[in-house]
Amino acid sequence: MANDIILQAISTKDLENLLRDLVRSEFESMNEELQRVIGEDDLVSTGTACRILGVSTKVLKILVDQGYFTIYHHLKERRYNRGELLAYRNQYRVNRKVD
């Protein structure tokens, strides 16, 4: 009953903004969860790791030397855990305002 009163008292513009914010926040949480589930055990190359993080290979090497990521060796190539890369990227991600 209290929800009916609130919805009757709210303007259509406010209701639209409220629904938009609710859908956006749910989509972002679902997207983050899907990325985590898909990428937990996936190993990616250095180039893909750089694309995920949006950095150059030099910056990736510095981050690896500082101990942020685990290196796996596969067929004489360095591989990185996609889940670790996504978790690091999401820590420093800035949400852009979309109108």
Side-chain angles (χ1 to χ4, degrees):
M1 192 73 168
N3 289 340
D4 293 336
I5 295 170
I6 291 173
L7 289 177
Q8 288 177 354
I10 195 168
S11 69
T12 56
K13 189 70 172 175
D14 291 338
L15 180 61
E16 181 181 328
N17 290 335
L18 182 68
L19 289 173
R20 182 175 288 133
D21 292 340
L22 179 67
V23 169
R24 183 175 292 133
S25 66
E26 283 300 315
F27 175 76
E28 288 174 359
S29 65
M30 285 177 19
N31 188 25
E32 185 175 325
E33 185 67 27
L34 279 174
Q35 286 181 357
R36 186 177 303 121
V37 169
I38 290 172
E40 276 183 352
D41 296 328
D42 192 18
L43 297 179
V44 296
S45 66
T46 302
T48 305
C50 290
R51 281 192 294 276
I52 289 173
L53 295 174
V55 298
S56 67
T57 55
K58 292 179 181 180
V59 174
L60 179 64
K61 182 175 179 351
I62 292 170
L63 291 172
V64 168
D65 291 342
Q66 292 176 353
Y68 285 103
F69 307 113
T70 307
I71 300 174
Y72 301 94
H73 295 282
H74 177 69
L75 299 175
K76 296 184 180 180
E77 293 182 6
R78 290 178 161 206
R79 301 288 179 171
Y80 304 92
N81 187 326
R82 185 187 301 267
E84 286 181 357
L85 296 169
L86 291 173
Y88 181 82
R89 182 191 69 182
N90 291 339
Q91 281 180 339
Y92 299 103
R93 190 175 83 187
V94 176
N95 291 332
R96 296 180 183 159
K97 185 177 179 181
V98 179
D99 288 327

